[in-house]
Amino acid sequence: MFKQAFIGALSLVMALSAETAVQAQELTGRQIMDESSNRHDLPREFEELDMTLAENGNVFEERQLRRFSLEGDGGLFKYLTVFDEPAGVKGVALLSWQNKGRSDDQWTYLPAVSRKLKRTAGSSKRKPFLGTDFTYEDMTSDDRDDFSYERLADSEVDGEATFVVKAVPIGEDVKKETGYAWRIFNLSKETYFIVQVDFFDRREKHSKVQRNFDPVVVTEQAMRPKRTLMTTLDKNTSTEMIVKARSLEEEMVDEKMFQHRWITTGKYMR
């Protein structure tokens, strides 16, 4: 009797696993990206990070920064990145507001230059942000309606089975402003966590690679990397970010933090 029950339970598990595998095979590129967002997007988040800039493997600058994100109406996010060290970048901030159906609003605050935030417009979003391997457009998340998502053949990264999805801009604003012809996403088939992103510039040349290492579960299904590495291939430069602290608590992220006045009055500083 016990043996029959065990065999029955095992058969059920195998059947469910086979059904899940079939469902995964049938997913479209857009469905894979939607599932990743459903699992890993969080309504608010605060991080403290160490950033290292390197060229040819040699570190030439170390920085400390904070990042804030908050989900607003319609699932649209606002982001704030603030540099605390070293002195040359202390107080520099990048504010981004995600928009629906048009390009994001983005401003840079350079307190040594002006007490007003300067809008980042048009093709300027293709430029490197503050000497890093991240561009201004890399510092926000995508409105998935602005891209087409094509599922490519499954692959693996460092032995981990991955979905592979090609993202091509279709939104008029994005096509005009982006620095990329397309990007290739590798997502874990088990967790839908983005393991690697390959960037192809407007000349369709493979220009950059972003790797997300050591993912940890921060709440329920949501995962975050402990370490992110962006590499610019032709220049052999890299920007590494390591998370020192993280909070998902309401008191750490408030709507007021994403307003110009909160920044220009110096309240964003420690």
Side-chain angles (χ1 to χ4, degrees):
M1 182 106 178
F2 173 79
K3 183 178 180 180
Q4 289 176 334
F6 176 77
I7 292 173
L10 181 61
S11 298
L12 177 59
V13 170
M14 293 176 65
L16 290 173
S17 298
E19 181 181 356
T20 301
V22 170
Q23 290 173 346
Q25 290 300 324
E26 294 175 348
L27 289 173
T28 66
R30 174 61 187 259
Q31 288 171 331
I32 291 169
M33 299 305 291
D34 285 345
E35 180 63 19
S36 178
S37 177
N38 291 339
R39 293 189 183 205
H40 302 296
D41 285 356
L42 294 169
R44 62 174 51 81
E45 189 169 1
F46 164 74
E47 293 177 322
E48 293 184 7
L49 305 103
D50 285 332
M51 173 184 282
T52 301
L53 308 182
E55 183 174 8
N56 297 321
N58 299 311
V59 174
F60 64 86
E61 187 166 332
E62 296 179 347
R63 299 175 177 176
Q64 295 177 10
L65 63 149
R66 290 169 287 143
R67 294 195 304 194
F68 305 82
S69 66
L70 180 68
E71 184 177 13
D73 295 339
L76 300 175
F77 279 84
K78 294 181 179 180
Y79 302 92
L80 176 63
T81 301
V82 177
F83 286 87
D84 294 315
E85 298 291 344
V89 295
K90 186 173 183 177
V92 174
L94 179 68
L95 176 65
S96 303
W97 295 353
Q98 194 178 40
N99 294 311
K100 190 72 176 175
R102 59 185 179 89
S103 61
D104 295 347
D105 292 320
Q106 200 169 53
W107 301 268
T108 305
Y109 186 57
L110 303 169
V113 176
S114 173
R115 290 298 175 181
K116 293 184 178 180
L117 279 77
K118 181 181 178 182
R119 179 181 288 274
T120 308
S123 60
S124 294
K125 294 180 180 178
R126 305 173 195 167
K127 296 179 180 179
F129 172 59
L130 211 62
T132 72
D133 293 271
F134 293 87
T135 63
Y136 283 85
E137 67 175 305
D138 296 334
M139 303 298 288
T140 64
S141 60
D142 296 336
D143 179 348
R144 292 187 297 284
D145 290 339
D146 283 333
F147 296 84
S148 67
Y149 294 100
E150 176 188 359
R151 181 172 179 180
L152 305 180
D154 294 348
S155 185
E156 64 176 44
V157 176
D158 292 342
E160 181 170 13
T162 59
F163 296 114
V164 183
V165 178
K166 180 179 181 179
V168 179
I170 56 174
E172 289 304 317
D173 280 358
V174 176
K175 285 196 293 184
K176 187 186 306 180
E177 297 175 359
T178 183
Y180 309 120
W182 64 78
R183 292 167 297 161
I184 304 292
F185 290 83
N186 274 261
L187 303 92
S188 166
K189 297 187 76 170
E190 180 179 356
T191 64
Y192 291 80
F193 173 78
I194 296 173
V195 178
Q196 178 171 310
V197 187
D198 291 87
F199 300 78
F200 293 78
D201 65 23
R202 294 172 70 91
R203 295 171 296 173
E204 302 184 356
K205 178 184 176 182
H206 189 196
S207 58
K208 298 196 303 185
V209 179
Q210 178 179 324
R211 289 293 310 274
N212 296 318
F213 296 99
D214 306 322
V216 294
V217 177
V218 295
T219 177
E220 298 180 1
Q221 298 183 95
M223 304 179 76
R224 290 291 183 273
K226 289 184 179 179
R227 182 167 69 96
T228 295
L229 180 67
M230 179 74 90
T231 302
T232 302
L233 300 175
D234 61 347
K235 296 180 180 179
N236 199 23
T237 58
S238 64
T239 302
E240 182 182 55
M241 293 195 292
I242 298 176
V243 178
K244 297 190 300 181
R246 174 183 289 108
S247 176
L248 310 179
E249 300 300 323
E250 289 188 25
E251 61 266 21
M252 296 300 296
V253 184
D254 189 270
E255 172 65 33
K256 66 186 178 185
M257 297 177 174
F258 304 91
Q259 302 303 317
H260 287 211
R261 181 171 175 76
W262 196 74
I263 298 171
T264 58
T265 54
K267 294 179 180 178
Y268 72 108
M269 296 296 291
R270 290 184 181 276

